[in-house]
Amino acid sequence: MMSTDAHDHDKTAGGAVQSVDRALQIMELIADAGAAGITELSVALGVHKSTVSRIVASLESRGFVEQAPGGRKYRIGFTVVRLAGSTTATMDLAKLGQDVCDDVAKKTGETTNLAVLNAAQAINVVESQGSSSVALKTWIGQPSPAHATSSGKALLAGLSERELRTLYSDELPGFTDNTITDLDQLIADLEASSARGWALADEELEVGLVALAAPVRDSTGAVVSALSISGPRYRLDPADAPQLAEGVVRAADTVSRRLGYRG
C-alpha cells in the first residue's frame, strides 16, 4: 500500500509535469498564432486565466515569451531564438571545425578544442588529441570556468563590459595563485586579449597547465566559439605564445570563414 508521503510526492511530480506540458502548449499556441493573449490561450487550453497568466509570467521572466507591442498579447521571446541559434552553431562547429582541430593538433602535438560559452562556463564541443606522449584529456561537454581558461577568455572578450558585470560579481573564484579573481583585472585582461586577437591562460585553472585560444565568429561577426590549444607548461611555454598564437588565429579564422564571417 502506497504511503501518504509517496502519494503526495507523486501528486507533486504529476502537477509539475502538467505545468511543464501546459507551458510547452502555450509556447506552441503563441508560435502558431504569432502572438496571443491570456484569454485566448485560456480558451484554447481549457484552463482558468489565472493558471495561464501564472505560466506566462514564468515564461516571460526567462525570456521564452515577451509582450508584443501594445502589451496585450505575447509572442515568442529571444531565449527561444538564442537556444535555436546555439544548437545550430554547435552542429555547424562539429561539422565544420573537426578537421581544423585535427590539423592544429597534428602540427602542435597539443590537445585542440572548440568551445562555446554557456553563462560563465566554457564548454568544449569539438576535440582533437595531441600526438605528444603526455596529452591532455578535456571531455566533450565538460564545463570549465570561463575566466580561468583561454577559450573562456576568448569568448568573454566578445561581451561588453556591462554584460561582464552582469555575469560576474566583483570577486571571482580562484583555482591557482595565477587565477584572476578581481573583475576589473579580468576586464583589463579581456581588453588586451581582444586587442591582440588571442587569449592566454597561464596556470590559471590548474598548476602546470597553459593554454591559448582565438575567437571564432559567425556571419554577423559575433564571437560564437573559441579554438584553443592546451598543454603542460614544460611544452607550451607562455614565452612562445605569440608565435604559437599565429597558427591558432589562422585556424580560428578558417572556421569563422566556414561559418560565413567575412571580416
Side-chain angles (χ1 to χ4, degrees), residues 183-263:
L183 181 56
D184 289 331
Q185 186 180 347
L186 175 65
I187 290 173
D189 185 86
L190 296 177
E191 289 175 348
S193 298
S194 181
R196 70 185 175 221
W198 52 274
L200 176 70
D202 181 6
E203 298 188 87
E204 295 171 43
L205 181 62
E206 297 179 17
V207 173
L209 175 64
V210 176
L212 59 93
V216 172
R217 300 177 185 274
D218 65 10
S219 59
T220 69
V223 177
V224 295
S225 180
L227 190 149
S228 68
I229 61 171
S230 53
R233 202 175 202 278
Y234 67 83
R235 278 204 320 257
L236 215 167
D237 191 332
D240 299 327
Q243 292 74 37
L244 289 168
E246 292 180 5
V248 173
V249 170
R250 282 196 302 271
D253 287 345
T254 296
V255 181
S256 296
R257 288 193 299 273
R258 291 181 179 183
L259 290 173
Y261 181 58
R262 295 293 180 265

Side-chain angles (χ1 to χ4, degrees), residues 97-107 112 126-129:
Q98 185 67 64
D99 67 314
V100 177
C101 288
D102 291 344
D103 184 59
V104 173
K106 183 177 180 180
K107 289 178 178 177
T112 305
V126 178
E127 178 178 271
S128 294
Q129 283 292 298

Side-chain angles (χ1 to χ4, degrees), residues 139-188:
W139 301 100
I140 295 294
Q142 175 182 328
S144 299
H147 73 285
T149 63
S150 65
S151 56
K153 287 184 180 182
L155 290 161
L156 292 174
L159 303 181
S160 67
E161 181 174 338
R162 181 179 179 180
E163 289 173 315
L164 289 167
R165 293 191 181 279
T166 299
L167 186 62
Y168 290 108
S169 61
D170 291 337
E171 290 295 324
L172 307 173
F175 302 95
T176 72
D177 290 341
N178 286 2
T179 308
I180 297 175
T181 56
D182 177 77
L183 181 56
D184 289 331
Q185 186 180 347
L186 175 65
I187 290 173

Side-chain angles (χ1 to χ4, degrees), residues 59-60 62-66 75-85:
L59 290 171
E60 184 180 20
R62 307 283 296 186
F64 286 95
V65 301
E66 62 186 19
R75 63 189 182 187
I76 293 298
F78 181 73
T79 294
V80 176
V81 178
R82 177 177 60 80
L83 290 174

